[in-house]
Amino acid sequence: MELIRQQKLVVQLCTDHALLEEFLAAPAQVTTREGLTVGAESLAKLNPGQLRQFARLLRMRRLGEAGTALPLTRRALGHRFAELFTAYALQNPPPGKRLGQDAIAFVNYLLQSNPTKPLNPVWLMSLASYEAARVEVEWLGQRKLLVRKFPHALRRLLTAFEADGVPKGDFSGWTLAVWCSSSSGRQPRHWLW
Amino acid sequence: MGQKTEISNLLANLPRLGAGLTYHEPFLADLLQKQPEVDFLEVHGDRYLDAPPARMDELAMLAEHFTVIPHFTGLSLGSAEGLDAVYLENVAHLIKQLKSPWWSEHIGYTRANGILLGQPAPLPFTKEGIEVMTRNIVTARRAIAAPLILENVFGPLVWPGSEMDPARFIGEVLGFGGVGLLLDVADLFTYAPGLGIDPIKLLDRLPLDRVVQVHFSSSHDSQADSSESRVQPVAEGVWQLLNAVVTRAPVRCLCLELNDNPPPLGDALKEVERARTVGRQYKRWN
Ligand SMILES: [Fe+2]
Protein backbone atom coordinates (compact mmCIF):
# COMPACT_ATOMS: atom_id res chain seq x y z
CA MET A 1 0.00 0.00 0.00
CA GLU A 2 1.35 3.36 -1.03
CA LEU A 3 -0.03 5.11 2.08
CA ILE A 4 2.37 3.11 4.28
CA ARG A 5 5.37 4.54 2.42
CA GLN A 6 3.85 8.03 2.31
CA GLN A 7 3.21 8.07 6.06
CA LYS A 8 6.71 6.80 6.73
CA LEU A 9 8.23 9.59 4.67
CA VAL A 10 6.08 12.32 6.27
CA VAL A 11 7.11 11.12 9.73
CA GLN A 12 10.77 11.12 8.69
CA LEU A 13 10.50 14.60 7.17
CA CYS A 14 8.95 16.03 10.30
CA THR A 15 11.48 14.51 12.68
CA ASP A 16 14.71 14.68 10.65
CA HIS A 17 15.69 18.25 9.93
CA ALA A 18 18.42 17.43 7.39
CA LEU A 19 16.10 15.16 5.41
CA LEU A 20 13.40 17.85 5.41
CA GLU A 21 15.80 20.41 3.94
CA GLU A 22 16.96 17.91 1.33
CA PHE A 23 13.34 17.14 0.42
CA LEU A 24 12.40 20.80 0.13
CA ALA A 25 15.34 21.38 -2.20
CA ALA A 26 14.77 18.29 -4.37
CA PRO A 27 11.54 16.41 -3.51
CA ALA A 28 11.68 13.95 -6.41
CA GLN A 29 15.16 12.79 -5.42
CA VAL A 30 13.97 11.91 -1.92
CA THR A 31 10.68 10.29 -2.91
CA THR A 32 12.47 8.09 -5.47
CA ARG A 33 15.08 7.03 -2.93
CA GLU A 34 12.33 6.16 -0.43
CA GLY A 35 10.65 3.93 -3.00
CA LEU A 36 7.51 6.00 -3.58
CA THR A 37 5.77 5.47 -6.89
CA VAL A 38 2.14 6.58 -7.38
CA GLY A 39 2.12 8.76 -4.28
CA ALA A 40 5.40 10.52 -5.05
CA GLU A 41 3.93 13.30 -7.13
CA SER A 42 1.30 14.06 -4.53
CA LEU A 43 3.80 14.17 -1.64
CA ALA A 44 6.11 16.44 -3.61
CA LYS A 45 3.29 19.00 -3.47
CA LEU A 46 3.31 19.14 0.35
CA ASN A 47 3.44 22.75 1.47
CA PRO A 48 6.97 23.61 2.75
CA GLY A 49 5.63 26.08 5.33
CA GLN A 50 3.23 23.49 6.73
CA LEU A 51 5.93 20.82 6.90
CA ARG A 52 8.22 23.18 8.80
CA GLN A 53 5.39 24.24 11.08
CA PHE A 54 4.49 20.65 11.92
CA ALA A 55 8.15 19.77 12.52
CA ARG A 56 8.38 22.74 14.89
CA LEU A 57 5.21 21.72 16.76
CA LEU A 58 6.62 18.22 17.23
CA ARG A 59 9.86 19.66 18.62
CA MET A 60 7.83 21.83 21.00
CA ARG A 61 5.96 18.76 22.19
CA ARG A 62 9.26 16.94 22.77
CA LEU A 63 10.63 19.98 24.57
CA GLY A 64 7.62 20.00 26.90
CA GLU A 65 8.10 16.30 27.68
CA ALA A 66 11.82 16.71 28.29
CA GLY A 67 11.14 19.63 30.64
CA THR A 68 8.74 17.47 32.65
CA ALA A 69 11.34 14.71 32.88
CA LEU A 70 14.18 17.08 33.83
CA PRO A 71 12.43 19.80 35.88
CA LEU A 72 15.43 21.07 37.86
CA THR A 73 17.74 21.05 34.84
CA ARG A 74 15.14 23.12 33.01
CA ARG A 75 14.93 25.54 35.93
CA ALA A 76 18.71 25.87 36.18
CA LEU A 77 19.13 26.50 32.44
CA GLY A 78 16.15 28.85 32.05
CA HIS A 79 15.65 29.87 28.39
CA ARG A 80 18.85 28.03 27.42
CA PHE A 81 17.03 24.74 28.07
CA ALA A 82 14.80 25.37 25.04
CA GLU A 83 17.76 26.50 22.91
CA LEU A 84 19.88 23.48 23.76
CA PHE A 85 16.98 21.06 23.37
CA THR A 86 16.07 22.51 19.99
CA ALA A 87 19.68 22.16 18.82
CA TYR A 88 19.59 18.50 19.96
CA ALA A 89 16.18 17.78 18.42
CA LEU A 90 17.16 19.23 15.04
CA GLN A 91 19.89 16.59 14.81
CA ASN A 92 18.20 13.69 16.56
CA PRO A 93 14.75 12.18 15.85
CA PRO A 94 12.85 10.89 18.92
CA PRO A 95 14.87 7.84 20.07
CA GLY A 96 12.05 5.54 21.16
CA LYS A 97 8.44 5.11 22.04
CA ARG A 98 8.67 5.44 25.79
CA LEU A 99 8.27 8.59 27.81
CA GLY A 100 11.63 9.69 29.18
CA GLN A 101 13.86 8.17 26.49
CA ASP A 102 14.14 11.51 24.70
CA ALA A 103 15.17 13.29 27.93
CA ILE A 104 17.88 10.70 28.59
CA ALA A 105 19.18 11.01 25.02
CA PHE A 106 19.22 14.81 25.39
CA VAL A 107 21.37 14.60 28.53
CA ASN A 108 23.74 12.19 26.74
CA TYR A 109 23.93 14.69 23.88
CA LEU A 110 24.84 17.47 26.34
CA LEU A 111 27.51 15.26 27.90
CA GLN A 112 29.04 14.46 24.51
CA SER A 113 28.73 17.83 22.85
CA ASN A 114 30.15 20.06 25.56
CA PRO A 115 33.21 18.30 26.98
CA THR A 116 35.49 21.29 26.53
CA LYS A 117 33.03 24.07 27.27
CA PRO A 118 31.01 22.94 30.29
CA LEU A 119 27.60 24.47 30.86
CA ASN A 120 26.93 26.87 33.72
CA PRO A 121 26.31 26.62 36.63
CA VAL A 122 29.30 24.32 37.21
CA TRP A 123 27.10 21.61 38.71
CA LEU A 124 24.65 21.62 35.77
CA MET A 125 25.82 18.37 34.17
CA SER A 126 25.83 16.56 37.52
CA LEU A 127 22.24 17.66 38.05
CA ALA A 128 21.18 16.72 34.50
CA SER A 129 22.84 13.30 34.75
CA TYR A 130 21.20 12.72 38.13
CA GLU A 131 17.75 13.57 36.74
CA ALA A 132 18.37 11.36 33.69
CA ALA A 133 19.36 8.45 35.96
CA ARG A 134 16.17 8.98 37.97
CA VAL A 135 14.09 8.85 34.77
CA GLU A 136 15.90 5.66 33.72
CA VAL A 137 15.00 3.88 36.95
CA GLU A 138 11.71 5.44 37.98
CA TRP A 139 10.08 5.99 34.57
CA LEU A 140 11.53 3.30 32.39
CA GLY A 141 12.06 0.72 35.14
CA GLN A 142 14.75 -0.97 33.09
CA ARG A 143 17.19 -1.47 35.94
CA LYS A 144 16.85 -3.27 39.22
CA LEU A 145 19.93 -1.60 40.63
CA LEU A 146 21.65 1.60 39.55
CA VAL A 147 24.70 3.15 41.21
CA ARG A 148 26.07 6.50 39.99
CA LYS A 149 28.80 8.80 41.23
CA PHE A 150 28.58 12.58 40.71
CA PRO A 151 31.33 15.19 41.25
CA HIS A 152 29.07 17.60 43.20
CA ALA A 153 27.22 17.69 46.51
CA LEU A 154 23.81 16.75 45.13
CA ARG A 155 21.98 16.33 48.39
CA ARG A 156 22.76 19.93 49.36
CA LEU A 157 21.95 21.09 45.83
CA LEU A 158 18.55 19.36 45.78
CA THR A 159 17.72 20.88 49.16
CA ALA A 160 18.71 24.30 47.85
CA PHE A 161 16.28 23.81 44.93
CA GLU A 162 13.40 23.62 47.42
CA ALA A 163 13.54 27.42 47.61
CA ASP A 164 12.54 29.52 44.59
CA GLY A 165 15.05 30.38 41.87
CA VAL A 166 18.35 28.74 40.98
CA PRO A 167 20.74 27.88 43.85
CA LYS A 168 23.95 29.94 44.06
CA GLY A 169 27.33 28.37 44.85
CA ASP A 170 29.49 25.64 43.37
CA PHE A 171 28.27 22.74 45.58
CA SER A 172 31.66 21.09 45.48
CA GLY A 173 31.98 17.56 46.83
CA TRP A 174 31.08 14.04 45.73
CA THR A 175 27.81 12.12 45.72
CA LEU A 176 27.02 8.46 45.43
CA ALA A 177 23.45 7.80 44.27
CA VAL A 178 21.81 4.37 44.51
CA TRP A 179 18.42 3.21 43.26
CA CYS A 180 17.13 -0.25 44.04
CA SER A 181 13.85 -1.82 42.83
CA SER A 182 12.59 -4.70 44.94
CA SER A 183 9.57 -5.66 42.79
CA SER A 184 7.71 -4.27 39.82
CA GLY A 185 4.69 -2.23 40.90
CA ARG A 186 6.64 -0.74 43.81
CA GLN A 187 8.43 2.62 43.82
CA PRO A 188 12.23 1.99 43.76
CA ARG A 189 14.17 2.87 46.90
CA HIS A 190 16.72 5.63 46.59
CA TRP A 191 19.72 6.81 48.62
CA LEU A 192 22.14 9.71 48.28
CA TRP A 193 25.46 9.84 50.11
CA MET B 1 -29.54 1.88 9.06
CA GLY B 2 -29.30 -0.75 11.81
CA GLN B 3 -25.71 0.24 12.55
CA LYS B 4 -26.68 3.91 12.75
CA THR B 5 -29.44 3.19 15.27
CA GLU B 6 -27.09 1.10 17.34
CA ILE B 7 -24.45 3.85 17.60
CA SER B 8 -27.10 6.53 18.24
CA ASN B 9 -28.46 4.48 21.15
CA LEU B 10 -24.98 3.93 22.52
CA LEU B 11 -24.15 7.64 22.42
CA ALA B 12 -27.54 8.64 23.84
CA ASN B 13 -26.84 6.56 26.92
CA LEU B 14 -23.52 8.22 27.75
CA PRO B 15 -23.53 10.32 30.93
CA ARG B 16 -23.75 14.12 30.84
CA LEU B 17 -20.54 15.07 32.60
CA GLY B 18 -20.32 18.87 32.37
CA ALA B 19 -17.06 20.83 32.10
CA GLY B 20 -13.57 19.68 32.95
CA LEU B 21 -9.97 19.87 31.84
CA THR B 22 -6.78 17.99 30.99
CA TYR B 23 -4.95 16.76 34.07
CA HIS B 24 -1.35 17.81 34.72
CA GLU B 25 0.73 16.72 37.68
CA PRO B 26 1.29 20.25 39.08
CA PHE B 27 -2.51 20.52 39.52
CA LEU B 28 -2.73 17.62 41.93
CA ALA B 29 -2.74 19.35 45.33
CA ASP B 30 -5.11 22.16 44.28
CA LEU B 31 -7.44 19.84 42.38
CA LEU B 32 -8.55 17.95 45.45
CA GLN B 33 -9.49 21.22 47.14
CA LYS B 34 -11.32 22.45 44.06
CA GLN B 35 -13.11 19.21 43.30
CA PRO B 36 -16.58 20.86 43.04
CA GLU B 37 -15.29 23.06 40.20
CA VAL B 38 -14.19 20.09 38.06
CA ASP B 39 -16.83 17.75 36.62
CA PHE B 40 -14.31 15.34 35.09
CA LEU B 41 -10.63 15.01 34.20
CA GLU B 42 -9.14 14.03 30.88
CA VAL B 43 -5.80 12.26 31.22
CA HIS B 44 -3.17 11.64 28.56
CA GLY B 45 -3.65 7.89 28.51
CA ASP B 46 -0.27 7.21 26.87
CA ARG B 47 1.49 8.52 30.00
CA TYR B 48 0.04 5.64 32.01
CA LEU B 49 1.13 2.76 29.81
CA ASP B 50 4.24 1.13 31.17
CA ALA B 51 4.28 3.87 33.82
CA PRO B 52 6.19 3.93 37.11
CA PRO B 53 4.27 2.84 40.23
CA ALA B 54 4.05 6.36 41.69
CA ARG B 55 2.29 7.65 38.59
CA MET B 56 -0.16 4.74 38.61
CA ASP B 57 -0.94 5.33 42.30
CA GLU B 58 -1.65 8.96 41.50
CA LEU B 59 -4.00 7.93 38.68
CA ALA B 60 -5.85 5.50 40.97
CA MET B 61 -6.27 8.31 43.48
CA LEU B 62 -7.61 10.67 40.80
CA ALA B 63 -10.06 8.02 39.65
CA GLU B 64 -11.37 7.74 43.22
CA HIS B 65 -12.27 11.43 43.23
CA PHE B 66 -13.13 12.22 39.60
CA THR B 67 -14.57 10.71 36.46
CA VAL B 68 -11.43 10.12 34.40
CA ILE B 69 -11.53 10.00 30.60
CA PRO B 70 -8.37 8.66 28.94
CA HIS B 71 -7.31 10.40 25.74
CA PHE B 72 -4.67 8.67 23.58
CA THR B 73 -2.38 9.70 20.75
CA GLY B 74 0.00 6.74 20.53
CA LEU B 75 -2.38 4.03 19.39
CA SER B 76 -2.35 5.70 15.99
CA LEU B 77 -5.61 4.51 14.45
CA GLY B 78 -4.65 6.12 11.14
CA SER B 79 -1.45 4.09 10.66
CA ALA B 80 -1.56 2.29 7.33
CA GLU B 81 0.88 -0.30 8.72
CA GLY B 82 -1.80 -1.36 11.27
CA LEU B 83 -1.97 -1.21 15.05
CA ASP B 84 0.78 -2.16 17.47
CA ALA B 85 -0.76 -5.19 19.19
CA VAL B 86 1.12 -4.71 22.48
CA TYR B 87 0.20 -1.03 22.64
CA LEU B 88 -3.45 -1.91 22.04
CA GLU B 89 -3.36 -4.51 24.80
CA ASN B 90 -1.94 -1.93 27.22
CA VAL B 91 -4.55 0.65 26.22
CA ALA B 92 -7.32 -1.91 26.73
CA HIS B 93 -5.96 -2.81 30.15
CA LEU B 94 -5.83 0.82 31.29
CA ILE B 95 -9.37 1.61 30.11
CA LYS B 96 -10.68 -1.44 31.93
CA GLN B 97 -8.89 -0.33 35.10
CA LEU B 98 -10.33 3.20 34.92
CA LYS B 99 -13.93 2.10 34.20
CA SER B 100 -14.29 5.23 32.05
CA PRO B 101 -17.61 5.96 30.30
CA TRP B 102 -15.69 6.31 27.01
CA TRP B 103 -12.18 6.77 25.62
CA SER B 104 -10.74 8.80 22.78
CA GLU B 105 -8.14 8.81 20.00
CA HIS B 106 -7.64 10.80 16.78
CA ILE B 107 -8.55 10.65 13.12
CA GLY B 108 -4.89 10.80 12.29
CA TYR B 109 -1.67 8.91 12.84
CA THR B 110 1.34 9.20 15.13
CA ARG B 111 3.32 6.09 14.24
CA ALA B 112 5.16 4.95 11.14
CA ASN B 113 8.18 2.73 10.75
CA GLY B 114 9.04 2.69 14.46
CA ILE B 115 8.95 6.45 14.97
CA LEU B 116 6.32 7.81 17.35
CA LEU B 117 5.16 11.41 17.01
CA GLY B 118 3.94 13.27 20.09
CA GLN B 119 1.15 14.86 18.09
CA PRO B 120 -1.11 13.31 15.44
CA ALA B 121 -0.57 14.04 11.76
CA PRO B 122 -3.69 14.31 9.63
CA LEU B 123 -4.66 11.70 7.05
CA PRO B 124 -5.27 12.31 3.38
CA PHE B 125 -9.00 12.73 2.75
CA THR B 126 -9.14 9.66 0.53
CA LYS B 127 -10.90 6.29 0.31
CA GLU B 128 -7.67 4.64 1.37
CA GLY B 129 -7.56 6.86 4.48
CA ILE B 130 -11.11 5.77 5.38
CA GLU B 131 -10.25 2.10 4.82
CA VAL B 132 -7.19 2.31 7.07
CA MET B 133 -9.11 4.06 9.86
CA THR B 134 -12.05 1.64 9.63
CA ARG B 135 -9.83 -1.42 9.75
CA ASN B 136 -7.93 -0.19 12.80
CA ILE B 137 -11.09 1.01 14.58
CA VAL B 138 -12.65 -2.44 14.15
CA THR B 139 -9.54 -4.06 15.67
CA ALA B 140 -9.53 -1.60 18.59
CA ARG B 141 -13.25 -1.99 19.28
CA ARG B 142 -12.87 -5.75 19.38
CA ALA B 143 -10.29 -5.35 22.16
CA ILE B 144 -12.03 -2.56 24.11
CA ALA B 145 -15.64 -2.64 25.24
CA ALA B 146 -15.97 1.03 26.27
CA PRO B 147 -17.33 3.36 23.55
CA LEU B 148 -14.73 5.10 21.39
CA ILE B 149 -14.86 8.72 20.23
CA LEU B 150 -12.45 10.19 17.68
CA GLU B 151 -10.99 13.66 17.43
CA ASN B 152 -10.65 15.72 14.24
CA VAL B 153 -7.14 16.57 13.02
CA PHE B 154 -7.30 19.22 10.30
CA GLY B 155 -3.74 20.54 10.40
CA PRO B 156 -1.16 21.88 10.27
CA LEU B 157 -0.30 19.62 7.32
CA VAL B 158 -2.72 19.31 4.43
CA TRP B 159 -2.19 16.28 2.19
CA PRO B 160 -2.33 17.02 -1.50
CA GLY B 161 -4.67 14.89 -3.61
CA SER B 162 -7.85 14.91 -1.49
CA GLU B 163 -10.68 12.84 -2.96
CA MET B 164 -13.42 14.39 -0.81
CA ASP B 165 -14.04 17.30 1.50
CA PRO B 166 -12.98 16.96 5.16
CA ALA B 167 -16.53 16.81 6.54
CA ARG B 168 -17.45 13.87 4.34
CA PHE B 169 -14.19 12.14 5.25
CA ILE B 170 -14.95 12.47 8.97
CA GLY B 171 -18.56 11.43 8.45
CA GLU B 172 -17.51 8.24 6.66
CA VAL B 173 -14.84 7.33 9.21
CA LEU B 174 -17.31 7.73 12.08
CA GLY B 175 -20.06 5.98 10.14
CA PHE B 176 -18.06 2.94 9.06
CA GLY B 177 -16.28 2.78 12.42
CA GLY B 178 -19.46 3.11 14.51
CA VAL B 179 -17.89 5.67 16.85
CA GLY B 180 -18.60 9.13 18.31
CA LEU B 181 -16.92 12.47 17.65
CA LEU B 182 -14.58 14.40 19.92
CA LEU B 183 -14.80 17.76 18.24
CA ASP B 184 -11.76 19.97 18.76
CA VAL B 185 -13.04 23.48 18.07
CA ALA B 186 -9.57 25.05 18.37
CA ASP B 187 -8.31 22.71 15.64
CA LEU B 188 -11.32 23.67 13.53
CA PHE B 189 -10.77 27.38 14.21
CA THR B 190 -7.04 27.26 13.43
CA TYR B 191 -6.89 24.93 10.45
CA ALA B 192 -10.24 25.10 8.57
CA PRO B 193 -9.10 28.29 6.75
CA GLY B 194 -6.03 26.37 5.47
CA LEU B 195 -8.45 23.86 3.92
CA GLY B 196 -10.18 26.75 2.19
CA ILE B 197 -13.34 26.47 4.32
CA ASP B 198 -14.93 28.82 6.82
CA PRO B 199 -14.85 27.08 10.26
CA ILE B 200 -18.57 27.53 10.90
CA LYS B 201 -19.46 26.15 7.47
CA LEU B 202 -17.26 23.12 8.07
CA LEU B 203 -18.84 22.70 11.49
CA ASP B 204 -22.32 22.63 9.97
CA ARG B 205 -21.31 19.87 7.57
CA LEU B 206 -19.87 17.61 10.27
CA PRO B 207 -22.00 14.77 11.71
CA LEU B 208 -22.96 16.79 14.80
CA ASP B 209 -25.33 14.12 16.12
CA ARG B 210 -22.16 12.13 16.91
CA VAL B 211 -20.50 14.76 19.12
CA VAL B 212 -19.90 13.44 22.62
CA GLN B 213 -17.07 15.66 23.79
CA VAL B 214 -15.59 19.02 22.80
CA HIS B 215 -11.97 20.12 23.15
CA PHE B 216 -11.37 23.83 23.43
CA SER B 217 -8.00 25.50 24.04
CA SER B 218 -6.08 28.71 23.65
CA SER B 219 -4.42 27.82 20.37
CA HIS B 220 -2.91 24.88 18.58
CA ASP B 221 -0.39 26.91 16.90
CA SER B 222 1.00 29.76 18.87
CA GLN B 223 3.04 27.83 21.45
CA ALA B 224 6.18 29.92 21.72
CA ASP B 225 9.63 28.43 21.37
CA SER B 226 10.12 28.47 25.10
CA SER B 227 9.78 26.12 28.02
CA GLU B 228 8.38 28.85 30.25
CA SER B 229 4.86 28.45 31.46
CA ARG B 230 2.50 30.98 29.99
CA VAL B 231 -1.15 31.80 30.25
CA GLN B 232 -3.12 32.32 27.06
CA PRO B 233 -6.84 32.90 27.12
CA VAL B 234 -9.12 30.92 24.80
CA ALA B 235 -9.74 33.04 21.69
CA GLU B 236 -13.22 34.51 21.22
CA GLY B 237 -13.46 32.78 17.83
CA VAL B 238 -12.99 29.44 19.60
CA TRP B 239 -15.70 30.34 22.13
CA GLN B 240 -18.06 31.18 19.26
CA LEU B 241 -17.48 27.76 17.72
CA LEU B 242 -17.97 26.10 21.10
CA ASN B 243 -21.28 27.92 21.48
CA ALA B 244 -22.31 26.86 18.00
CA VAL B 245 -21.53 23.20 18.78
CA VAL B 246 -23.37 23.23 22.08
CA THR B 247 -26.50 24.68 20.46
CA ARG B 248 -26.47 22.07 17.69
CA ALA B 249 -25.05 18.88 19.20
CA PRO B 250 -25.92 16.56 22.10
CA VAL B 251 -22.55 17.18 23.83
CA ARG B 252 -21.83 15.23 27.00
CA CYS B 253 -18.89 17.31 28.14
CA LEU B 254 -16.65 20.28 27.36
CA CYS B 255 -12.96 19.84 28.03
CA LEU B 256 -10.36 22.60 28.30
CA GLU B 257 -7.44 20.91 26.57
CA LEU B 258 -4.06 21.84 28.01
CA ASN B 259 -0.93 20.49 26.44
CA ASP B 260 2.55 21.64 27.42
CA ASN B 261 3.12 24.36 30.01
CA PRO B 262 -0.31 24.47 31.60
CA PRO B 263 -1.40 27.73 33.26
CA PRO B 264 -2.10 27.91 37.02
CA LEU B 265 -5.16 25.80 37.88
CA GLY B 266 -7.14 28.84 39.07
CA ASP B 267 -6.85 30.52 35.64
CA ALA B 268 -7.80 27.31 33.84
CA LEU B 269 -10.85 26.84 36.05
CA LYS B 270 -12.22 30.23 35.04
CA GLU B 271 -12.37 29.01 31.44
CA VAL B 272 -13.90 25.72 32.62
CA GLU B 273 -16.63 27.63 34.49
CA ARG B 274 -17.42 29.70 31.41
CA ALA B 275 -17.84 26.51 29.38
CA ARG B 276 -20.02 24.94 32.08
CA THR B 277 -22.32 27.97 31.90
CA VAL B 278 -22.64 27.60 28.12
CA GLY B 279 -23.66 23.95 28.53
CA ARG B 280 -26.16 24.89 31.23
CA GLN B 281 -27.64 27.64 29.09
CA TYR B 282 -28.53 25.10 26.40
CA LYS B 283 -29.68 22.51 28.96
CA ARG B 284 -26.91 20.02 28.22
CA TRP B 285 -26.62 19.52 31.98
CA ASN B 286 -27.88 21.06 35.23
FE1 LIG C 1 -7.69 18.26 20.99
Side-chain angles (χ1 to χ4, degrees), chain A residues 7 42 50 53 60 97-98 138, chain B residues 52 78 80 84 158 160 221 224:
Chain A
Q7 289 188 335
S42 141
Q50 290 175 356
Q53 186 188 359
M60 294 304 300
K97 293 186 196 172
R98 295 192 59 194
E138 294 183 7
Chain B
D84 177 329
V158 179
D221 213 16

Side-chain angles (χ1 to χ4, degrees), chain B residues 1 3 6 24 54 69 87 106 123 150 165 173 183 207 219 244 255 262 274:
Chain B
M1 189 66 199
Q3 198 191 11
E6 192 187 317
H24 283 270
I69 310 283
Y87 209 95
H106 298 80
L123 288 174
L150 294 179
D165 76 273
V173 167
L183 183 56
S219 168
C255 177
R274 181 171 168 184

Side-chain angles (χ1 to χ4, degrees), chain B residues 79-224:
Chain B
S79 277
E81 64 190 28
L83 297 182
D84 177 329
V86 176
Y87 209 95
L88 176 61
E89 207 175 292
N90 290 338
V91 169
H93 181 71
L94 182 71
I95 293 168
K96 210 170 180 183
Q97 245 180 323
L98 286 172
K99 300 192 183 76
S100 307
W102 64 80
W103 65 288
S104 58
E105 243 289 353
H106 298 80
I107 304 177
Y109 77 103
T110 49
R111 188 171 38 75
N113 203 37
I115 297 178
L116 192 68
L117 304 177
Q119 173 164 330
L123 288 174
F125 303 137
T126 58
K127 280 202 196 95
E128 193 181 9
I130 294 170
E131 280 161 18
V132 165
M133 280 299 300
T134 309
R135 198 167 50 237
N136 289 336
I137 292 169
V138 167
T139 308
R141 288 187 61 202
R142 250 186 233 134
I144 299 165
L148 166 63
I149 63 171
L150 294 179
E151 179 172 3
N152 49 295
V153 182
F154 289 138
L157 276 182
V158 179
W159 286 74
S162 284
E163 293 167 6
M164 62 192 83
D165 76 273
R168 192 177 140 211
F169 178 78
I170 293 207
E172 303 229 326
V173 167
L174 300 184
F176 286 124
V179 296
L181 178 59
L182 162 50
L183 183 56
D184 188 322
V185 286
D187 181 75
L188 188 65
F189 176 73
T190 312
Y191 299 127
L195 297 167
I197 312 173
D198 179 63
I200 198 84
K201 284 193 183 134
L202 178 49
L203 176 77
D204 275 331
R205 297 220 298 267
L206 290 170
L208 294 179
D209 57 322
R210 296 281 178 116
V211 179
V212 172
Q213 182 177 342
V214 171
H215 267 171
F216 65 106
S217 56
S218 56
S219 168
H220 269 223
D221 213 16
S222 61
Q223 311 273 343

